[in-house]
Every structure is written in structure tokens, then in C-alpha cells.
């Protein structure tokens, strides 16, 4: 049966895989909510052939970040949401807010920080880093993503976690992001999240990062839950395959639609926030689209559509790290960056 399921999935069209990735993300998000419900048996894991694993947002808000992204001192004034934002309708059961992660809530890419953490724990070989560094160099020179490179990055990343225990990777993610969340959150976007929470609305993180990473970030921000890329698992370990594919671009929109059906949301009453033109399908779904720290293509689109733009960056625009990796699960992005950093430090020490 498992072999037949894999064969059937391999024959799916790109549109079908996109829909499957969205449904898998919505199913995983609901499984997380059930696991977090009072009295839930947290030792009972959901179907691991379609859901990445247990865990969920517990709804406990974290301390508000300071202006530099770190936690604010006790009693410090909370950041305010930007002026001219729409006011969420209090306690509207059919309204929610969907937030992209990278460069929208988090400074930089979640996969970048995960990659650094995994590299330090020897998940990667030097050959993996060298190959990925070449792919990154190709992207920077040509300014576009090579589909073959994206596929290779995804296959390499999945191969690295194949056979690894899901509980082990989740424990590592907890360690990595406990520190990252304290330092890398955009206070302005964090205030927007809190604005919806204060109105009694549900808030969801939507990201191409693995579901394990997504749920941890959402939990630490006090969000309702998360939609992320779902990896196939069996007997508590990763198989090295994705369920459907990456939660990227149209797949994010599919996940939001799938969750809206499950949660009985009215998307015309919902809001969505993102920095990337890749997320235009998701932004176009909702009645209140917001553009946060946008790339050039999304800024142009937002102007043409009359969407509200908020830029919380100061000085030069935030660097875009590991774009091909983000489109291909991207775990190796952090490894390449970490290797470059180590080499630079070694050179500086010798000079």
C-alpha cells in the first residue's frame, strides 16, 4: 500500500502536488491543535505517513520584543501596530490572520538559522557544502533559480534527514529557535500579530520551512498554529520524501484555502502578510492583504493593486539569504553560510 501511494504521488501533476502539499499542511496544523487541546494525549502521534509529527502552539504569548528584536525588559511598553491598518473585528469567529515567516516576521530565513544549527551538529559533509555553494554562486551570477539546482538541493536536504528520528530533529529545532526568536523578530510585524490576537482572532504562520520549525516559531510567538512543509514519516522517522511538495508559492495559497475550509473561515474577512512576490497567490485570497518589507516585484504589484505596504527595515534592505534553498527546502543554505563564515574567521586569524 505504501509503495502504491508513493507511485501514485510520483505521477501527480504539479497542480495536484500543490493541492496535496496544502492539504497536508492544513491536516498537520489541525493535528497540532488537537495535540495542544486540554486533556489531549500528547503521547499519541497522528498518522505519520501524512503528518510530520506531534507538537502545537500552546497559545502562551512570549514577551514582546525590544526595538532591536530582542525580548523587551519586564514592564516595557509594547510596540504599536502601524497607523492606518484595518482594525480587526473583535472576536470574529470567521476571521484570521496569516503571516509569512522569512523577512516578514523573522529577520532573514528560518531555514538559514536551521541550517547553521544542523551544520554545527555535523548533519552535513564538506561535499554537501561545496555543491550547495556552487549552486548559490550560480544563482547570484544568473539572477534566477535553476530548477535542476532546486531539485538537487531538495533531494540532498531530504536525504540528510532520511532515517533520522522526528523527535530528535524537533529537539534540535527547539534549541536553535529559542535563541533565534529572541533576537530576530521584527517588532513591527510582531505588533501586527498581537493586534489580531488582542482582537480574539486566530493567527497562523505560513512558511516553506519544515512543519517542525514552523510550529516552534508559532508557539514561541503565541500564535494559534502554523502551516509548513510536511515531510513523510514512518515509525517515528523521516522517509526522505515530502507529502505533496514544498509549501511554496501557490502551495501556500492551497494550504490557507484548505485550513479555511476546515476552520470555517471567511477569507474575505481575513488578513495576510508577506514580503515576497512568491506569495501573491496567498495575498490575493484574503480581503486584507498586507505587504511587509517587500521585494521589488511585490512592491510593484502592491502599488498596482492598492495593497497596504509596511517596511520595518532601516538603512539598506534586508539581505536575501539562500533563495534557491528556500525554494528547495533549503536546509543547506545555513551550512554554506556557516562554512564561509568559518573560513573568513580562519583567514582573519592568520592575517
Amino acid at each position: 500500500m505504501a509503495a502504491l501511494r508513493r507511485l501514485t504521488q510520483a505521477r501527480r501533476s504539479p497542480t495536484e502536488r500543490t493541492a496535496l502539499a496544502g492539504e497536508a499542511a492544513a491536516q498537520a496544523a489541525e493535528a497540532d491543535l488537537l495535540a495542544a487541546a486540554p486533556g489531549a494525549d500528547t503521547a499519541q502521534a497522528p498518522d505519520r505517513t501524512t503528518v510530520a509529527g506531534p507538537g502545537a502552539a500552546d497559545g502562551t504569548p512570549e514577551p514582546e520584543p525590544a526595538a532591536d528584536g530582542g525580548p523587551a525588559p519586564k514592564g516595557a511598553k509594547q510596540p504599536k501596530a502601524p497607523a492606518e491598518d484595518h482594525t480587526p473585528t473583535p472576536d470574529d469567529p470567521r476571521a484570521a490572520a496569516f503571516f509569512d515567516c522569512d523577512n516578514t516576521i523573522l529577520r532573514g530565513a528560518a531555514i538559514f538559522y536551521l541550517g547553521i544549527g544542523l551544520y554545527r551538529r555535523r548533519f552535513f559533509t564538506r561535499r554537501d557544502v561545496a555543491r550547495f555553494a556552487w549552486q548559490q554562486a550560480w544563482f547570484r551570477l544568473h539572477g534566477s533559480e535553476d530548477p535542476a539546482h532546486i531539485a538537487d538541493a531538495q533531494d540532498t536536504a531530504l536525504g540528510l534527514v532520511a532515517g533520522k528520528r522526528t523527535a530528535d530533529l524537533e529537539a534540535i529545532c527547539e534549541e536553535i529557535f529559542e535563541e533565534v526568536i529572541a533576537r530576530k523578530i521584527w517588532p513591527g510585524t510582531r505588533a501586527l500579530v498581537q493586534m489580531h490576537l488582542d482582537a480574539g482572532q486566530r493567527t497562523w504562520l505560513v512558511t516553506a520551512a519544515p512543519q517542525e520549525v514552523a510550529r516552534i516559531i508559532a508557539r514561541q510567538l503565541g500564535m494559534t498554529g502554523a502551516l509548513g512543509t510536511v515531510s513523510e514519516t514512518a515509525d517515528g522517522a523521516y522517509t526522505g520524501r515530502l507529502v505533496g511538495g514544498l509549501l511554496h508559492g501557490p502551495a501556500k495559497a492551497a494550504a490557507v484555502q484548505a485550513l479555511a475550509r476546515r476552520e470555517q473561515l471567511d477569507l474575505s474577512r481575513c488578513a495576510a502578510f508577506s514580503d515576497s512576490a512568491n506569495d501573491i497567490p496567498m495575498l490575493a485570497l484574503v480581503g486584507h492583504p498586507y505587504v511587509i518589507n517587500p521585494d521589488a516585484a511585490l512592491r510593484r504589484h502592491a502599488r498596482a493593486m492598492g495593497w497596504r505596504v509596511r517596511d520595518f527595515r532601516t538603512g539598506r534592505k534586508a539581505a536575501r539569504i539562500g533563495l534557491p534553498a528556500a525554494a528547495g527546502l533549503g536546509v543547506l543554505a545555513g551550512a554554506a553560510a556557516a562554512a564561509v563564515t568559518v573560513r573568513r574567521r580562519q583567514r582573519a586569524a592568520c592575517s
Side-chain angles (χ1 to χ4, degrees):
M1 182 64 70
L4 177 61
R5 180 169 55 247
R6 290 195 296 270
L7 179 61
T8 302
Q9 181 170 322
R11 290 179 175 174
R12 293 178 187 271
S13 69
T15 300
E16 290 172 329
R17 289 195 296 272
T18 292
L20 180 57
E23 288 290 345
Q27 181 180 340
E30 288 219 322
D32 289 347
L33 288 181
L34 290 174
D41 182 3
T42 56
Q44 181 65 38
D47 180 2
R48 304 303 286 261
T49 62
T50 55
V51 180
D58 60 11
T60 303
E62 290 293 306
E64 291 294 333
D68 62 357
K74 187 175 182 180
K77 187 177 181 180
Q78 294 185 356
K80 293 182 178 180
E84 300 180 5
D85 290 309
H86 88 280
T87 302
T89 303
D91 300 317
D92 184 349
R94 303 196 63 193
F98 300 92
F99 290 82
D100 170 54
C101 182
D102 299 346
N103 287 318
T104 301
I105 284 183
L106 194 67
R107 293 176 178 174
I111 286 297
F112 172 78
Y113 302 117
L114 176 62
I116 290 177
L118 294 180
Y119 179 76
R120 289 171 177 168
R121 290 163 176 81
R122 303 182 184 278
F123 267 66
F124 307 120
T125 66
R126 291 182 180 179
R127 180 177 297 182
D128 294 328
V129 173
R131 181 171 63 197
F132 190 76
W134 158 247
Q135 293 169 357
Q136 290 289 82
W138 193 97
F139 172 79
R140 292 181 183 280
L141 286 173
H142 293 270
S144 61
E145 298 173 352
D146 185 327
H149 289 176
I150 294 173
D152 185 45
Q154 174 178 312
D155 291 343
T156 301
L158 291 171
L160 289 170
V161 299
K164 299 288 194 306
R165 305 296 298 177
T166 58
D168 293 341
L169 185 59
E170 290 206 33
I172 291 173
C173 290
E174 288 277 7
E175 295 174 4
I176 293 170
F177 285 96
E178 182 177 1
E179 180 179 356
V180 168
I181 293 301
R183 298 184 294 107
K184 299 296 183 179
I185 296 298
W186 290 106
T189 314
R190 179 65 183 91
L192 291 171
V193 173
Q194 192 62 47
M195 179 178 70
H196 285 271
L197 290 173
D198 290 343
Q201 291 190 1
R202 287 163 285 182
T203 58
W204 297 89
L205 190 70
V206 189
T207 174
Q211 180 69 17
E212 292 81 358
V213 172
R215 71 164 64 97
I216 289 169
I217 295 175
R219 181 172 65 238
Q220 294 198 18
L221 293 175
M223 300 176 76
T224 306
L227 298 162
T229 295
V230 178
S231 297
E232 185 183 271
T233 64
D235 300 324
Y238 295 100
T239 66
R241 293 181 293 272
L242 298 179
V243 180
L246 293 163
L247 203 70
H248 179 71
K252 284 187 178 181
V256 168
Q257 288 177 310
L259 186 70
R261 288 194 300 270
R262 292 168 178 264
E263 296 288 305
Q264 298 183 332
L265 299 174
D266 180 350
L267 289 175
S268 69
R269 290 146 72 171
C270 293
F273 304 77
S274 180
D275 73 302
S276 173
N278 292 322
D279 290 340
I280 288 174
M282 178 180 74
L283 293 169
L285 285 177
V286 301
H288 303 282
Y290 282 83
V291 172
I292 306 294
N293 305 330
D295 59 28
L298 181 56
R299 187 181 291 273
R300 289 194 298 270
H301 188 84
R303 286 173 177 168
M305 299 298 294
W307 292 351
R308 284 163 284 202
V309 178
R310 299 289 179 265
D311 201 326
F312 301 124
R313 298 166 293 190
T314 57
R316 64 182 182 83
K317 291 185 177 181
R320 299 265 164 187
I321 304 173
L323 290 179
L329 192 59
V331 173
L332 293 178
V340 170
T341 301
V342 169
R343 286 196 293 271
R344 286 177 177 171
R345 289 177 179 174
Q346 288 174 340
R347 290 173 184 170
C350 294
S351 61

